[in-house]
Structure formats: structure tokens, C-alpha cells
Amino acid sequence: MASTSQSTNGTSGMHHHKMMMMHMTFFWGINAEILFSRWPGRRGAGMYALALAFVFVLAFLVEWLSHCRLIKPGSSNNVMAGVVQTLLHATRVGLAYLVMLAVMSFNGGVFLVAVAGHTLGFLLFGSRVFKKNTETLFDGNASDLPPMSC
């Protein structure tokens, strides 16, 4: 019979303790938990590949949001432009934190696809490779959001 104990909030109930293993060094393998409990877990290579693709897309979207131009210059409604800019910033920060949490799974594959997503996103949206005018590269108005900084 399971024991009943008093919790910190004054209620009593049955407590089942589950031991979780958390890696503190990088490891390789398809049996990992990324972002959500038991996902992809031990569901096989297909689910692991889906999780890697998800992390890649998240990192790619962070770079796109960092370099996109969705707000038209010279917008007459500064309040609405400011609200949209704030929502874009919140989305970018949220996605960046999701990538960070995924990397904290310490799975080597997750780390590599996160770096690859950021790299490809920067190559396509932030580097000179696809820019026609190099003057806009260093212009403060080249994107809607300022660069991410710590």
C-alpha cells in the first residue's frame, strides 16, 4: 500500500516518485526527451527525426524573425507598428528560448540541428549572399527588430 503524506500546502495525498535521468554531458542516440515529457522518448528513429526537424525549424524561424521586414517603413500608425514590433520580439524570444531548452537536452543531434538552423537562417536572411545592396547591411533599419544581445 502506498504511503500517505502531508504536502507543503497542507493537503495529503499519495506520492509516487519517478526517477528521471538528466544528462549533464552531450550524448548521442535517438532515445531522448526534447522539450516535452516523453517526446520523442523511445518512439523510434522517425519521431526522433521529426523532433530534430522541429528544432531546426525553430532555429531557422528565430533567424528569419531577426532579419525580416514585415512593418512597412514610414507607417503612419506608430502605435500599431509598435504593438506589431513588440509581438514579433516576444515571438522571437519565445522561439529562441525553445531552441535553448531543446539544446539543454544535451543530445548531440539536437545541438547540431539547432546550429544548422541558425546557420542556414543567417545565410539566407542575414548574410551578404542574397543582398543586392550592401549599404542596407549595416543600416539600423534593415529589419524590424534589433539584433539579439545578452
Side-chain angles (χ1 to χ4, degrees):
M1 185 169 178
S3 65
T4 305
S5 63
Q6 193 77 12
S7 70
T8 57
N9 65 359
T11 61
S12 62
M14 298 179 129
H15 296 281
H16 300 282
H17 297 284
K18 179 184 166 190
M19 294 295 291
M20 270 182 75
M21 186 176 108
M22 184 173 170
H23 291 274
M24 297 308 290
T25 60
F26 280 109
F27 71 98
W28 297 98
I30 63 171
N31 296 328
E33 289 188 3
I34 305 166
L35 294 176
F36 308 105
S37 179
R38 296 186 303 270
W39 186 74
R42 300 185 179 276
R43 295 187 180 139
M47 285 300 289
Y48 179 69
L50 178 65
L52 293 181
F54 183 70
V55 172
F56 180 87
V57 168
L58 286 177
F60 186 82
L61 286 174
V62 168
E63 291 298 324
W64 176 71
L65 284 172
S66 295
H67 299 94
C68 71
R69 189 85 166 131
L70 298 176
I71 302 171
K72 294 179 182 168
S75 176
S76 61
N77 190 348
N78 285 339
V79 173
M80 185 55 109
V83 168
V84 170
Q85 188 178 24
T86 301
L87 291 174
L88 286 171
H89 175 73
T91 302
R92 178 180 70 175
V93 169
L95 293 175
Y97 276 129
L98 282 175
V99 172
M100 178 197 67
L101 289 172
V103 170
M104 287 177 61
S105 70
F106 287 97
N107 183 281
V110 172
F111 175 74
L112 291 177
V113 299
V115 170
H118 280 292
T119 302
L120 183 63
F122 182 81
L123 176 71
L124 295 177
F125 306 117
S127 72
R128 295 180 181 204
V129 173
F130 298 106
K131 302 277 188 204
K132 292 181 181 174
N133 187 359
T134 57
E135 293 174 9
T136 61
L137 286 174
F138 303 106
D139 183 15
N141 297 325
S143 68
D144 290 334
L145 298 176
M148 291 180 66
S149 60
C150 296

